[in-house]
Amino acid sequence: MWIADKWRDYELIDCGDGERLERWGKKIFIRPDPQAIWHTPRRHELWRRADARYIRSHSGGGHWERANNLPENWPIRYRDLIFQVKPMNFKHMGLFPEQAVNWDFARDKIREAMKNNPDREIKILNLFAYTGGASVACAKAGAGVCHVDAAKGMVAWARENAKSSGLSAAPIRWITDDCGKFIQREIRRGNRYDAIIMDPPSYGRGPGGEIWKLEDNLYDFIKLCADVLSKKPLFVIINSYTTGLAPSVLGYLLGLLVKSRYGGICAWDELGLPVTESKMAFPCGAAGRWEI
């Protein structure tokens, strides 16, 4: 398991009985998580003193309890990166802290390439880029980034995260568009990228009502993405939060569609967060990586 254990402003304190007890900066939250199927005695006092708790509705969705005294948003830091977080609908906070292991991997690859060739301009394509954790990390390492997400509000939030991290003037293209259609246009334009990061949804709809289902569409999507890589690419990262999809599936796809063309190596694993109370690691999704 690739464990994001370098956080100071985020902490997974305890988990069990379908919930997670977390610290985001100085704020304490209880959020549902269906993977926490074990029982926890909840001895930690913060279970009873959380600033807010997300309660699921039997009809779908849910709501936050005890969230009235929270600020509209607040910053949390990961190394030299600063992100704005806040409780959102459907339990999210605007950041997935387990992704820090992929941010570190990408930054190391970018810095290594720039050290080996100081004149090289490295271009990163971040697809389904959400609030820009990976975009900010790659830009901080010195790369040019193209950030693509279909949600206008998420792109605006990502811009704020870049600003918080001192990257207002960084070479980041902010694109609000359907990722598949954008890649097709980039291929026609002749634009190429040295690395791709993607976090495709399990299910969604395109701007024309097209249905996206990860199991049905991911192979063709990665195949399309391989055509927008440069002649000497550095890496590709695929994230998945689809229940039941093994990490090795992501590695297999990268092997078929990227390694077969460029060589290099593939790796895959679960993503995880350390749990303070149990001293174990909590599973938070899967990732596959290809690198040269």
Side-chain angles (χ1 to χ4, degrees), residues 9 24 51 71 99 159-161 172 180 188 192 203 207 251:
D9 279 3
W24 294 80
D51 292 290
Q99 288 296 331
R159 281 179 174 268
E160 286 299 311
N161 284 332
I172 305 175
R188 291 196 297 269
R192 298 295 181 264
Y203 180 85

Side-chain angles (χ1 to χ4, degrees), residues 4 7 10 20 22 24 95-101 103 273:
W7 280 98
Y10 171 83
R20 295 160 58 161
E22 301 170 295
W24 294 80
L95 199 68
F96 294 93
E98 63 274 8
Q99 288 296 331
V101 291
W103 305 340
L273 290 166

Side-chain angles (χ1 to χ4, degrees), residues 105 109 112 233-236 258 263-267 289-292:
F105 169 83
K109 294 295 292 184
E112 179 185 7
L234 298 176
F235 63 87
V236 177
V258 183
I265 59 173
C266 297
R289 297 172 182 164
W290 170 85
E291 60 180 301
I292 199 66

Side-chain angles (χ1 to χ4, degrees), residues 2 15 50 60 64 71 78 81 116 145 153 163 165 175 177 193 198 238 262 279-280 287:
W2 293 328
C15 54
W64 289 96
Y78 180 75
L81 310 176
N116 293 335
V145 179
K163 182 179 179 181
S165 293
I175 307 295
D177 201 352
Y193 297 87
M198 67 176 77
I238 307 173
Y262 295 99
K279 311 301 181 189
M280 294 191 287

Side-chain angles (χ1 to χ4, degrees), residues 55-280:
I55 305 297
R56 285 195 183 279
S57 170
H58 295 297
S59 59
H63 67 278
W64 289 96
E65 283 188 345
R66 305 194 301 273
N68 294 332
N69 295 325
L70 291 172
E72 182 178 350
N73 56 67
W74 62 96
I76 67 169
R77 178 183 292 271
Y78 180 75
R79 295 186 163 178
D80 57 347
L81 310 176
I82 299 175
F83 303 102
Q84 300 295 323
V85 298
K86 62 181 178 181
M88 303 167 60
N89 294 335
F90 303 105
K91 81 173 184 176
H92 296 304
M93 299 293 293
L95 199 68
F96 294 93
E98 63 274 8
Q99 288 296 331
V101 291
N102 282 329
W103 305 340
D104 289 343
F105 169 83
R107 294 175 79 175
D108 288 344
K109 294 295 292 184
I110 292 166
R111 286 168 174 161
E112 179 185 7
M114 294 178 71
K115 181 180 178 181
N116 293 335
N117 185 355
D119 295 326
R120 182 177 181 181
E121 295 183 4
I122 295 171
K123 297 172 61 179
I124 309 295
L125 178 60
N126 188 14
L127 301 169
F128 310 98
Y130 195 48
T131 59
S135 297
V136 172
C138 292
K140 199 73 169 182
V145 179
C146 182
H147 173 109
V148 187
D149 196 280
K152 185 177 181 180
M154 293 299 104
V155 175
W157 193 340
R159 281 179 174 268
E160 286 299 311
N161 284 332
K163 182 179 179 181
S164 296
S165 293
L167 295 167
S168 296
I172 305 175
R173 293 172 63 200
W174 303 104
I175 307 295
T176 303
D177 201 352
D178 174 82
C179 289
K181 295 186 184 313
F182 176 78
I183 292 172
Q184 290 171 352
R185 288 199 300 274
E186 290 292 88
I187 292 171
R188 291 196 297 269
R189 293 167 181 153
N191 291 334
R192 298 295 181 264
Y193 297 87
D194 302 303
I196 300 173
I197 302 167
M198 67 176 77
D199 194 352
S202 299
Y203 180 85
R205 288 187 179 274
E210 309 93 336
I211 294 176
W212 164 279
K213 190 175 180 183
L214 190 76
E215 298 93 324
D216 296 337
N217 298 104
L218 188 58
Y219 175 89
D220 289 335
F221 186 77
I222 298 172
K223 185 177 181 181
L224 179 67
C225 287
D227 289 336
V228 84
L229 285 169
S230 65
K231 294 181 179 179
K232 295 182 178 180
L234 298 176
F235 63 87
V236 177
I237 301 173
I238 307 173
N239 294 295
S240 171
Y241 290 92
T242 301
T243 303
L245 192 70
S248 55
V249 172
L250 304 178
Y252 202 100
L253 290 170
L254 287 169
L256 284 175
L257 299 172
V258 183
K259 180 182 176 181
S260 62
R261 184 184 300 192
Y262 295 99
I265 59 173
C266 297
W268 53 88
D269 213 329
E270 290 182 288
L271 300 178
L273 290 166
V275 183
T276 303
E277 284 290 283
S278 68
K279 311 301 181 189
M280 294 191 287

Side-chain angles (χ1 to χ4, degrees), residues 10-30:
Y10 171 83
E11 180 184 8
L12 179 50
I13 302 166
D14 196 9
C15 54
D17 300 305
E19 291 184 312
R20 295 160 58 161
L21 177 67
E22 301 170 295
R23 177 177 61 82
W24 294 80
K26 296 181 179 179
K27 303 298 182 182
I28 306 300
F29 293 86
I30 298 172

